Amino acid sequence: APTLLTSRPDLDGTRVEETLGEGAFGLHDISQGPSFCVYNESLKHGSWVGGKDDWVVITDNRCSMNLVNPITGYKIPLPSLSTIDGLQINEYEDLEIDSLVCSRTLRRVALCHTPSSSTGYFALVLFDDGMLAYTSKGDKIWKLFKHPRAYQMCHHYDPQIYMDALLYKGSVVAVDDGGHMFSWDITSPEKDPIGMPSPENVRIEGCTGSVFYLAKSPTDELLLIGVQGHCHRAPSSGRVLVSEHDVFKHIDGVTLHKFHYTHGTWERSHTIGLGQSLFLGLNYPFYGSWSGIKPNSLYVADMGGNDVLSFELKDEGEAIIEKHDFPREEAVRLLDGHSMRTP
């Protein structure tokens, strides 16, 4: 079943999470409802910043990252981000690295392939100023994708920020905060990104902005998902990782577009495909169908101040939105401001 990971449930009635050092977290079966408090040695003193299948990407506050399988305890270190020319780890700020001009903060890692893949792991790292880099099995460094608008001097700074990225048909595809699409040939990261066609912007009545996710459909089509909302909200104060997606107090709806690879065109769609539902968040997107899960729905972790929002897609672009917070018993749920781990 699809499983949600959160900060641990409240066990002592304080409603406050004090530390990540004990390696505790919450594990929730969102299809049936049971919740558990889990202790895991692999997660001591670390926070997850991405994951796929049974692997999670763990980092400490100095951006030392590992691929960890919490079931087996197996751990694979990723190269230091200081292997990127001109960058160094900031010893005084959490999840920040420095260059000659300014600091940038780690936002997420897209784990496109796990160590279980036939080609080994492949990971993309995204930062708050648009910096994007990758590493893969056998690499000793992070390789930087060329990005002409990521490194201007801070005092006249106009970054192009990528909200999400994935590996698709031999290219890395990214979407920026305006819904514009870009791609790089994985063999030539030093070349300028290639602008891709972008779908027509569909604005839901009342919304003031959108956040974007990328995914692949059950039939291997590239998907662009836009969650629309209004009234910006401040980031949760207790979080280790600041989410670039959870920015709206009120969620108005969602749009889904599919990319036709042979024609290079986008089409708005109201179905994910094959009756499946799609699961989005810090995790690499996955789809499936299970008892207790609504078909043809989007489940988005850490959205609108909730652990999960689900969007049941209907014809004509409408969606039924439902909030899900875990554990279902509110008395053992941590207060949002003191939840350190990102759902």
Side-chain angles (χ1 to χ4, degrees), residues 50-294:
K52 175 176 168 60
D53 301 337
D54 50 350
W55 291 84
V56 290
V57 184
I58 301 297
T59 185
D60 61 16
N61 63 356
R62 298 199 60 208
C63 296
S64 295
M65 293 186 286
N66 291 276
L67 298 178
V68 174
N69 186 316
I71 300 170
T72 65
Y74 194 64
K75 182 182 295 186
I76 300 174
L78 295 178
S80 169
L81 292 170
S82 61
T83 59
I84 300 174
D85 287 344
L87 300 183
Q88 62 184 15
I89 304 300
N90 191 328
E91 296 186 12
Y92 309 105
E93 298 289 341
D94 291 349
L95 302 184
E96 285 197 0
I97 59 175
D98 291 335
S99 67
L100 294 176
V101 294
C102 59
S103 295
R104 49 185 57 87
T105 304
L106 177 68
R107 281 292 185 257
R108 60 195 287 133
V109 174
L111 183 61
C112 305
H113 293 160
T114 73
S116 305
S117 168
S118 59
T119 57
Y121 69 81
F122 183 96
L124 296 161
V125 62
L126 291 81
F127 285 81
D128 65 342
D129 70 336
M131 190 178 80
L132 178 67
Y134 83 92
T135 192
S136 59
K137 181 183 178 181
D139 290 336
K140 304 297 184 182
I141 63 172
W142 287 91
K143 299 177 183 179
L144 192 65
F145 289 100
K146 188 173 182 181
H147 182 2
R149 285 176 55 191
Y151 310 110
Q152 300 179 28
M153 296 295 288
C154 290
H155 58 269
H156 55 85
Y157 196 49
D158 181 27
Q160 184 174 42
I161 299 171
Y162 298 124
M163 301 206 75
D164 204 0
L166 51 67
L167 189 62
Y168 184 68
K169 297 186 181 296
S171 296
V172 167
V173 178
V175 58
D176 72 6
D177 51 359
H180 304 109
M181 305 289 299
F182 301 87
S183 72
W184 295 261
D185 187 316
I186 196 63
T187 63
S188 305
E190 73 283 356
K191 293 184 178 181
D192 286 324
I194 301 170
M196 293 178 59
S198 299
E200 180 182 357
N201 187 22
V202 179
R203 184 58 60 89
I204 297 172
E205 183 178 357
C207 84
T208 58
S210 302
V211 293
F212 297 97
Y213 294 89
L214 293 171
K216 287 188 282 189
S217 76
T219 53
D220 201 37
E221 297 165 301
L222 182 65
L223 303 179
L224 177 64
I225 300 96
V227 179
Q228 302 191 18
H230 65 280
C231 293
H232 281 258
R233 64 190 301 270
S236 300
S237 59
R239 289 284 170 81
V240 174
L241 196 70
V242 176
S243 171
E244 73 277 32
H245 287 100
D246 186 21
V247 295
F248 299 121
K249 288 183 180 178
H250 305 289
I251 306 300
D252 299 312
V254 66
T255 57
L256 173 67
H257 287 85
K258 293 183 178 180
F259 185 61
H260 296 287
Y261 184 76
T262 55
H263 299 98
T265 58
W266 291 89
E267 178 186 9
R268 191 174 182 190
S269 178
H270 310 306
T271 61
I272 296 165
L274 304 181
Q276 307 284 294
S277 289
L278 182 64
F279 298 81
L280 304 170
L282 273 181
N283 55 282
Y284 200 73
F286 64 93
Y287 51 82
S289 60
W290 293 270
S291 175
I293 294 296
K294 294 179 179 178

Side-chain angles (χ1 to χ4, degrees), residues 6-11 13-17 28 35 305-307 323-339:
T6 67
S7 283
R8 65 164 177 80
D10 178 38
L11 300 180
T14 63
R15 308 291 297 276
V16 175
E17 183 180 24
H28 316 277
S35 294
N306 302 101
D307 288 341
K323 301 176 180 179
H324 310 268
D325 286 306
F326 299 91
R328 296 185 184 276
E329 300 78 12
E330 188 173 355
V332 293
R333 196 181 304 152
L334 289 175
L335 294 174
D336 180 62
H338 296 285
S339 177

